[in-house]
Amino acid sequence: MEFRPVQRALIVGGGTAGWMTASTLARIFPRERLQIVLVESDEIGIVGVGEATVPLLQQFHGLLGIDEREFLKATYGTYKLGIEFRDWARVGGVFFHGFGDYGADIQGIPAHHYWLKLRQLGDNRPLDDYSLPYAIARRGHFAIAPKAEDNPASFFKHAFHFDAGLYGRFLRGYAENLGVTRIEGKVVDVALSPENGFVDRVTLADGRELSADLFIDCSGFRGLLIEEALQTGYEDWRRWLPCDSALVVASEVTSAPTPFTRSTARTAGWQWRIPLQHRSGNGLVYASGFMGDDEARDVLLSNLDGAPLAEPRQLRFTAGRRKKAWHKNCVAIGLAAGFMEPLESTSIQLIQTAAARLVQYFPDQSFDPVMIDEYNRLTAGEHERIRDFLILHYCLTQRRDSEFWRYCAEMELPDTLAHTIELFGSCGKVPRHTEDSYAEPSWVAVLVGNGFLPRRYEALVDNIPTEQLQQIFARRRAELAGIAESMPTHETFIRRFCMAEAA
Ligand SMILES: Cc1cc2nc3c(=O)[nH]c(=O)nc-3n(C[C@H](O)[C@H](O)[C@H](O)COP(=O)(O)OP(=O)(O)OC[C@H]3O[C@@H](n4cnc5c(N)ncnc54)[C@H](O)[C@@H]3O)c2cc1C
């Protein structure tokens, strides 16, 4: 069979998804091999939120050859070592999901099993005491140590906070340099081929027509091509993730930037605080069925660290995913492919992995259904594992102080998540799934953080005498404290290496 390469890709949408996808494709494919055009509408604009990330973004910048410090300067960025969760398990409770583990395995057994044994013997120190990112974050420190197996100071990962609007601009410059053509215009019509239902062309408001072999729908929530034209369908997950609204506002900086995102549970949702160099990003994510918009506004505005810099902006969404992220010759990436609330900052990660997967399964003009099905299977698995991880934050709560939290505590769970909770409760292990974005320590952070402890630890733990174990753990605490203390403050680190000129 003749191999006819895809030579023209049209990306519809110039938000974070559009420009990350354009940058990835332009970096991988020489311009004479693939012509990339991106169309975006200034009139419609971008969603303009999405300011906290996960460590995987380092790989994206590595692939693109982007200097991390230059990127932070350009986007008024700060570093992120994890997320502090306040009032989730119970009002007054705090736990940390750090980008790292709880210390090296001992005789092949993860450290949290040994911690559990000590706890059962009456040692009440929290698991967070063995997390290096937490030790650094709680002191407000930060540094990047050279990665090496014999350098314990490097045993953590970091992610970033940044200004979403500036990030898009930054990537646009990168992609245009590699030959991506940007067209400003509003798509008003999508024409399908009468022969096979493939997307044939899009028409702009001024009458211009744009055609391509491959169409990438990065048009945001509405899914201009994947849903409005191709009617692919949406799987609605609101029964598990009932939050469907957000109010977003920036506020003045009042203190040194923390090297972590803060997520504080409220009576019908939660509030984020993201520290940037020039402002703080804030938002209240809430379930409109349990909290009115006026009340949400009051909750948000009365819980800011500094004065608001504008009126709060409202967004509505439906948790879920497109039934097929790839249909015929159209691949949806970003909000067009689905959305889950930003509780673990996973949307930008999903854009990154979708773009990478598209490269891996890059089609020819036959658009072989087997490849498309595989892309969709992997995408669905990835979304579902993240969905389970997010639901875990809600369903284990001990809060019963509002209708919302009572609903979360009692809702029926997806089978996969119910199994995870049951297995962990039984023996402290987390089942592994291939499409899981999270390693075991992340699951443990949220399970234990919510006060959910296994009934027993692994049998092999008893091979180490208790006294020896206590000594190992005491040494670990001292080592973490020493490493964290030796680092400069996060603010000093930023000033030294990645301060935006205007900030
Ligand atoms: C409240 C909230 C908080 C979030 N926080 C985080 C976070 O902390 N971390 C994280 O990783 N993610 C977060 N996200 C998700 C993140 O914002 C998005 O994943 C990211 O911005 C990508 O959006 P997008 O590019 O898919 O869509 P958009 O930003 O909406 O961009 C859509 C693009 O399509 C264009 N377009 C639309 N219609 C047309 C048309 N007819 N013609 C031409 N162009 C068109 C628009 O002009 C725009 O350029 C958050 C989302 C929300 C709602």
Side-chain angles (χ1 to χ4, degrees):
M1 199 170 142
E2 194 194 350
F3 176 81
R4 285 188 303 135
V6 161
Q7 290 173 320
R8 297 171 307 155
L10 179 70
I11 299 173
V12 177
T16 308
W19 287 115
M20 281 181 78
T21 307
S23 302
T24 306
L25 295 180
R27 176 76 183 83
I28 300 285
F29 293 101
R31 58 181 90 181
E32 51 288 353
R33 162 104 210 262
L34 182 70
Q35 181 201 88
I36 305 166
V37 175
L38 183 149
V39 59
E40 66 174 317
S41 158
D42 288 343
E43 181 195 323
I44 294 174
I46 63 168
V47 69
V49 278
E51 312 207 307
T53 58
V54 298
L56 196 69
L57 198 68
Q58 281 181 51
Q59 279 182 27
F60 176 69
H61 293 152
L63 169 79
L64 265 50
I66 286 175
D67 182 289
E68 186 168 300
R69 294 175 180 182
E70 289 309 312
F71 136 75
L72 286 169
K73 275 184 201 166
T75 59
Y76 291 76
T78 64
Y79 289 96
K80 171 177 171 187
L81 291 162
I83 306 173
E84 180 190 74
F85 289 94
R86 290 188 173 191
D87 299 340
W88 277 82
R90 57 187 168 77
V91 175
V94 184
F95 69 91
F96 195 77
H97 171 201
F99 299 141
D101 56 24
Y102 295 102
D105 292 358
I106 303 170
Q107 296 187 351
I109 310 289
H112 70 270
H113 288 273
Y114 296 93
W115 167 81
L116 192 63
K117 173 170 181 173
L118 292 180
R119 192 176 169 88
Q120 289 180 359
L121 293 171
D123 182 341
N124 275 329
R125 287 184 186 87
L127 186 57
D128 282 343
D129 278 12
Y130 302 95
S131 155
L132 178 57
Y134 176 66
I136 303 167
R138 81 181 179 84
R139 289 169 171 83
H141 287 186
F142 188 79
I144 300 172
K147 291 265 174 267
E149 269 184 29
D150 58 354
N151 182 6
S154 72
F155 293 174
F156 68 92
K157 295 180 184 157
H158 66 265
F160 316 98
H161 305 118
F162 55 67
D163 183 313
L166 295 177
Y167 189 55
R169 221 179 287 166
F170 180 76
L171 290 180
R172 175 180 160 188
Y174 177 92
E176 286 184 325
N177 267 337
L178 288 182
V180 173
T181 305
R182 173 186 183 268
I183 294 178
E184 203 289 314
K186 186 171 165 184
V187 174
V188 290
D189 188 51
V190 181
L192 303 184
S193 152
E195 265 165 45
N196 56 10
F198 278 37
V199 180
D200 187 57
R201 62 190 182 282
V202 301
T203 306
L204 305 186
D206 61 9
R208 277 178 293 173
E209 290 189 339
L210 305 173
S211 58
D213 306 322
L214 172 69
F215 289 81
I216 304 175
D217 187 348
C218 296
S219 65
F221 285 126
R222 56 191 288 206
L224 198 59
L225 281 67
I226 197 79
E227 194 58 52
E228 291 187 8
L230 290 170
Q231 300 182 351
T232 309
Y234 195 78
E235 212 173 288
D236 185 333
W237 289 341
R238 273 177 299 184
R239 64 189 177 285
W240 296 309
L241 294 169
C243 289
D244 59 0
S245 305
L247 278 169
V248 182
V249 73
S251 65
E252 280 175 4
V253 171
T254 54
S255 55
T258 56
F260 57 87
T261 308
R262 174 171 295 154
S263 161
T264 308
R266 304 286 180 217
T267 51
W270 59 279
Q271 183 166 340
W272 79 73
R273 191 202 60 178
I274 295 175
L276 301 181
Q277 292 181 24
H278 59 317
R279 61 170 169 80
S280 287
N282 308 275
L284 182 78
V285 173
Y286 61 102
S288 62
F290 297 88
M291 182 186 267
D293 296 339
D294 291 343
E295 187 187 348
R297 189 177 180 282
D298 288 348
V299 171
L300 173 67
L301 292 177
S302 55
N303 285 291
L304 300 178
D305 289 346
L309 296 171
E311 262 301 297
R313 195 159 57 91
Q314 186 153 55
L315 296 144
R316 304 275 190 210
F317 49 81
T318 303
R321 69 170 179 88
R322 203 67 62 194
K323 283 184 180 155
K324 289 178 182 174
W326 186 339
H327 191 42
K328 299 184 184 280
N329 63 340
C330 173
V331 183
I333 296 184
L335 299 174
F339 181 67
M340 284 174 272
E341 58 186 79
L343 187 53
E344 286 281 351
S345 324
T346 39
S347 289
I348 293 172
Q349 166 196 341
L350 286 169
I351 296 169
Q352 178 183 346
T353 53
R357 194 174 299 129
L358 174 59
V359 168
Q360 242 181 331
Y361 287 86
F362 203 76
D364 65 5
Q365 293 206 35
S366 70
F367 287 93
D368 191 341
V370 178
M371 277 171 64
I372 296 176
D373 288 351
E374 183 60 5
Y375 178 98
N376 285 332
R377 187 185 71 81
L378 295 170
T379 305
E382 187 186 23
H383 281 244
E384 282 162 13
R385 293 290 74 71
I386 291 177
R387 174 202 67 194
D388 284 4
F389 189 57
L390 298 190
I391 301 169
L392 185 67
H393 293 64
Y394 288 100
C395 69
L396 291 178
T397 187
Q398 295 152 37
R399 288 182 69 149
R400 299 290 184 273
D401 54 308
S402 68
E403 208 188 326
F404 173 81
W405 288 108
R406 286 190 291 276
Y407 173 83
C408 293
E410 283 155 22
M411 67 187 163
E412 204 176 309
L413 302 178
D415 292 347
T416 39
L417 176 58
H419 173 64
T420 298
I421 295 172
E422 200 183 340
L423 186 71
F424 186 79
S426 159
C427 60
K429 289 180 188 291
V430 175
R432 299 309 299 150
H433 295 271
T434 44
E435 299 343 306
D436 202 340
S437 305
Y438 290 96
E440 187 176 73
S442 292
W443 288 90
V444 171
V446 179
L447 285 153
V448 171
N450 271 292
F452 185 76
L453 298 184
R455 290 188 288 285
R456 48 159 287 212
Y457 48 81
E458 264 207 54
L460 292 181
V461 161
D462 286 329
N463 286 0
I464 299 199
T466 303
E467 212 171 287
Q468 191 186 339
L469 196 56
Q470 285 163 333
Q471 285 164 3
I472 294 172
F473 272 57
R475 270 201 307 276
R476 288 186 170 190
R477 286 194 303 275
E479 184 177 59
L480 296 193
I483 293 169
E485 282 298 335
S486 71
M487 292 181 173
T489 67
H490 181 219
E491 189 178 30
T492 305
F493 191 87
I494 289 172
R495 280 191 188 286
R496 203 175 290 161
F497 298 113
C498 43
M499 192 75 180
E501 274 164 33

